Amino acid sequence: MVDEVKEKITRHQQVLMQLLETYAALLKPFNWLDVDNQVIADFELNHFLLVSVGWNKGVFRHSIIFHFDIKPDGKIWLIANWTDVLIAEELLTMGVERMDIVVGFQPEELRPYSGFAVA
């Protein structure tokens, strides 16, 4: 059982990296010339983010685009999605099982209606 969870975590790490790298290239802020998208990954603690960082017209910008955590049970928690992309659906198309995705930014009492795992 422990080996299965470790394999699931490794698989989910790979999926999240592929997803974030793809969106880092696709999601360029409109008219923000000196802003870059950065993928931030902590494989030890299992935190994965896509952030936008830089300067726009003399104003420093730092924005979280996506934030995912992988919990010790191997489930992916979607912590933040500041886009109109149905990112949980993207995870499904990449082979992540529906019951391995938790929409963490939804209140706990609403998660049963999300169609994904509740925790």
Side-chain angles (χ1 to χ4, degrees):
M1 182 74 144
V2 171
D3 287 338
E4 290 176 21
V5 173
K6 285 182 182 179
E7 289 175 16
K8 181 190 291 190
I9 289 171
T10 299
R11 209 170 42 250
H12 288 171
Q13 288 172 336
Q14 293 167 348
V15 166
L16 289 177
M17 285 303 296
Q18 180 182 351
L19 182 78
L20 293 174
E21 288 170 353
T22 298
Y23 277 99
L26 290 175
L27 297 176
K28 292 296 180 183
F30 180 70
N31 287 334
W32 291 14
L33 301 177
D34 295 324
V35 176
D36 293 316
N37 289 333
Q38 298 177 359
V39 174
I40 299 171
D42 178 346
F43 285 88
E44 187 175 324
L45 298 175
N46 284 310
H47 304 294
F48 300 84
L49 296 94
L50 176 58
V51 299
S52 194
V53 178
W55 289 87
N56 178 38
K57 299 178 184 173
V59 177
F60 182 73
R61 305 290 183 175
H62 180 271
S63 302
I64 295 172
I65 301 170
F66 297 122
H67 178 173
F68 300 95
D69 288 344
I70 302 174
K71 299 296 183 177
D73 62 2
K75 291 183 181 178
I76 296 174
W77 280 60
L78 173 54
I79 304 300
N81 175 6
W82 292 103
T83 72
D84 60 356
V85 174
L86 300 174
I87 205 67
E89 297 293 330
E90 294 271 343
L91 290 171
L92 292 175
T93 65
M94 297 176 78
V96 177
E97 294 187 28
R98 185 172 293 279
M99 288 299 110
D100 282 339
I101 301 169
V102 177
V103 184
F105 60 79
Q106 286 187 335
E108 191 173 352
E109 63 272 10
L110 296 180
R111 289 187 202 144
Y113 306 105
S114 71
F116 295 97
V118 294

